[in-house]
Each structure stands twice: as C-alpha cells, then as structure tokens.
Amino acid sequence: MIMGRAAVLTQPLNGRGSCHYCGPCHRGCSVGAYFSSVSSTLPAAEKTGNLTLRAHSVVESLEYDATTGKVSAVNVIDAESHEKLTFKSKLVFLCASTIGSTQLLLNSTSEHFPNGLANGSGALGRYLMDHNSGLGGFAILPGMEDRFYSGNRPNNVYIPRFRNVKDEDNTDFVRGYGFQGVAFRMGWSASYKAPGFGTALKARLRKPGTWAMALMGFGETLPQKDNCMFLHPSKKDQYGIPQVSFNFNWHNNELKMRKDVSSQAVDMLNAAGATFAFGGDSMEDPGGAIHEMGTARMGRDPETSVLNQWNQAHEVANLFVTDGSAMTSSSCVNPSLTYMALTARACDYAVKQLKAGLI
C-alpha cells in the first residue's frame, strides 16, 4: 500500500501557490496548486507569445488534401453566432478526449477516406476500452476513536496491481487491477436512523462516528474489436454534427476479474481487523470510470492501427492524436499523466520532423 499519486504542489512554483489541504479540489483550486490547464500549461503557453486561445469554437471536421497527403484545413463553427470558419496550419494535433477526437475524425470524410480521416485500416472507432470499476469492499474498523484528521489530502492510498504479476497466481483471468482506498470517520448520516429526539440526538449526531475504509478496484479491460463507437446515421446536434453511438459490452475476462476484485478487497479489510466488511461485484456500466480509450490505436502495422509509435497518423503525415484514443491497452491505472507524457513526446518529435522538412 502506497500513498496515491497527486499532481499537486507542496511548495510555491512559477506563481502557483502550495496546497493548503482544503479538500474540494473538484471545484477548482484558487491558488493553482492542483494541476490543471488553467493554472499550469495555458499560462506557460501564453508566455511564449505564440498562443491564440479562441473560445466558443466547435470543431466540425478536418479537410484532407489528397495531393499532399496532409490535413489542409480545420473547419470550425462559432458556438454563439454559428458562423463557419476555416483555419490552416502546418501541423494539427487532436487532444479532444477519446470520444471527441474520434467523433471528429469519423466526421472528416473525403473521397480518399470515405469512412473517416486516416481510417484506411478500419480501426478508427474500434477497440474502445474503459476501466471496469464500481467493485471493491467497505469495512468498519474499530479503535483509534480518540483520533481525527486535519485537512483533506487530494488523494488517499493506492494498492498497485498485484494479481497475475507472477505466473503462480493461478487466476482464471489475465492482467489485473489496482485499488484506490480511503479511510474516514463516518458522519451523522451513518446513524441518522438511530432512535432519539431533540437535543440529545443532535449532540450525538455531531460526534464523529466510527472509522471506516473503502477499497475501490479499477481493472484492466482487454481491447475488443466489436467494442466500438460510431456516428449515428440520423441524429445530429445543434450544429449539424452527427452524434456518437456506442456498442460496448464487458467480456468474459472482465466478468471473471470482478469476482476476484470483491473477494480480495474483503479479505484485506478483514485481515486489517474489520468488525464488519462486505464487497460488491456489480460493475458500473461502461463509461462509468470515464477513462475511455483505444479508438485510434497506435501500432506498427498501418493495416491494423491508426497511429504510429509517435502518435502520428500512418496515412496523414501532419496529423497527431495524443489523447486516450491512441492507447492499445487500458492498463489499470488513472491514465491522464500517460496522455500528457505521450503528448509531450509527440510534440518534440513533430517539431524535429517539421524542422527537418519531413512533414
């Protein structure tokens, strides 16, 4: 068990403040300690003098020039005026999230790419993955009633993947899962049905309850060709852009893994001294983890993949896709930092290729 990783400053840096452990990170960080585009990457880009940030822009499609084999323009709709605009660039990077980027590529059809830009392989939109989640265990833990916590850390504990790391694990599934965990004192809502009335009841509810702990599993999903997204044949949004539809099911490996996630969580909590522990093996619906990936997969073979090892489209030299759609495996960890690393790597490569006149 280790502390969960958090992209949060513990001391001031580049005009950003340090975390003061107030807790509601999801509401935005007033001092910029929590990493976000608003507090980190956009200010850095602005300082270069080369950033133009255009709000209210809905990207509709990319235009392909068969003569050059490159993207020649990006078509944009102004969300307020509905005016259609066109922008040109030597390089085009898509990082609009797995669903957004793939929707855009599927909507960018031409005579050369009738089924979506850079989709000669037919892999675009396929091999959709999300982590199987909603599994784990919950327990009541006795003791330490005289202790409480001060402040809130933006992340808690993590148990890295431990199943199928060695051959002798002898499970009936491949790959594995990790646990994100949190320990806490239960609040008034845990005992609001307890008998009582008036001042005495209110006084009792103000006191912190017993300690509890939850372990939440995130498991790897295997890529399946039939798990896919595609453009709806008739439904369009207010800008006339086709909406996306999905065909996704959990397969046998995920279904077998879920039982192990629950039983292992309960075993761990009981071993830690729980007086009451239970597990759940009902996975969330696909998309519940919000870790979609895989629909413009990387690969060495242009016949079976959309992107090469540099996140560059096999068939469109000046097009790079650097979000989760590039992934070939979902692994079992939070993926955002991986996407950021792939983006930085792809940018470095693209700049060198551009300077060398190869794009």
Side-chain angles (χ1 to χ4, degrees):
M1 178 182 286
I2 62 174
M3 292 303 297
R5 303 298 192 243
V8 177
L9 294 181
T10 56
Q11 60 186 29
L13 179 68
N14 297 333
R16 297 165 58 195
S18 58
C19 178
H20 47 270
Y21 306 102
C22 61
C25 305
H26 53 282
R27 299 181 188 174
C29 182
S30 59
V31 299
Y34 196 104
F35 176 86
S36 70
S37 298
V38 173
S39 65
S40 180
T41 51
L42 285 176
E46 186 178 31
K47 288 179 181 178
T48 68
N50 297 319
L51 172 69
T52 299
L53 186 62
R54 193 183 191 283
H56 309 297
S57 297
V58 179
V59 182
E60 178 185 26
S61 62
L62 307 180
E63 293 184 14
Y64 175 75
D65 186 338
T67 303
T68 63
K70 298 178 181 179
V71 174
S72 58
V74 179
N75 296 317
V76 173
I77 300 173
D78 187 285
E80 295 184 322
S81 68
H82 285 221
E83 177 187 6
K84 293 194 173 185
L85 305 167
T86 299
F87 297 93
K88 297 180 181 293
S89 176
K90 293 180 180 179
L91 286 175
V92 175
F93 269 69
L94 292 185
C95 196
S97 82
T98 295
I99 305 304
S101 291
T102 305
Q103 178 187 26
L104 179 56
L105 291 173
L106 288 170
N107 196 45
S108 301
T109 58
S110 63
E111 184 177 351
H112 192 80
F113 291 112
N115 298 314
L117 184 60
N119 192 26
S121 65
L124 184 66
R126 295 191 176 274
Y127 304 101
L128 176 64
M129 297 173 285
D130 186 25
H131 287 138
N132 51 56
S133 60
L135 309 165
F138 176 85
I140 302 299
L141 294 163
M144 297 181 290
E145 303 296 340
D146 59 336
R147 299 187 186 184
F148 204 76
Y149 36 82
S150 175
N152 291 273
R153 190 177 184 275
N155 201 351
N156 293 280
V157 297
Y158 185 68
I159 300 176
R161 174 184 158 186
F162 58 97
R163 298 300 260 167
N164 294 326
V165 176
K166 298 180 180 180
D167 293 338
E168 59 266 26
D169 275 357
N170 195 31
T171 63
D172 61 352
F173 57 89
V174 299
R175 310 296 174 85
Y177 54 88
F179 283 116
Q180 296 182 33
V182 56
F184 56 94
R185 295 290 295 271
M186 298 184 72
W188 67 270
S189 59
S191 56
Y192 72 94
K193 291 184 178 180
F197 184 78
T199 303
L201 173 63
K202 292 179 181 179
R204 187 168 72 249
L205 293 179
R206 288 193 182 99
K207 295 179 181 179
T210 184
W211 282 94
M213 186 162 191
L215 293 177
M216 297 155 283
F218 280 80
E220 180 166 352
T221 298
L222 300 182
Q224 306 284 352
K225 189 175 183 179
D226 58 340
N227 279 346
C228 62
M229 59 169 286
F230 52 93
L231 298 184
H232 194 279
S234 60
K235 291 184 178 180
K236 298 183 178 181
D237 64 14
Q238 60 180 312
Y239 308 107
I241 300 173
Q243 292 291 276
V244 295
S245 296
F246 301 91
N247 178 31
F248 190 104
N249 291 291
W250 299 122
H251 285 65
N252 285 337
N253 199 67
E254 291 84 56
L255 296 176
K256 291 178 180 178
M257 185 187 296
R258 78 177 189 179
K259 298 178 181 179
D260 196 69
V261 175
S262 178
S263 63
Q264 289 289 318
V266 171
D267 287 349
M268 290 180 186
L269 292 167
N270 281 328
T275 56
F276 171 75
F278 70 93
D281 67 350
S282 178
M283 291 192 295
E284 287 187 318
D285 292 333
I290 326 177
H291 292 166
E292 301 90 356
M293 57 189 93
T295 49
R297 61 189 346 222
M298 290 190 281
R300 295 185 178 92
D301 186 357
E303 296 295 321
T304 59
S305 59
V306 179
L307 310 172
N308 66 17
Q309 70 267 37
W310 303 105
N311 293 74
Q312 180 184 30
H314 286 299
E315 301 168 288
V316 186
N318 68 337
L319 174 63
F320 291 78
V321 185
T322 62
D323 50 37
S325 54
M327 301 290 284
T328 59
S329 165
S330 73
S331 183
C332 62
V333 297
N334 287 354
S336 294
L337 291 178
T338 302
Y339 304 162
M340 292 170 63
L342 288 173
T343 301
R345 178 174 173 270
C347 287
D348 180 69
Y349 173 81
V351 169
K352 290 177 180 176
Q353 291 287 297
L354 193 63
K355 289 181 177 179
L358 298 175
I359 296 180

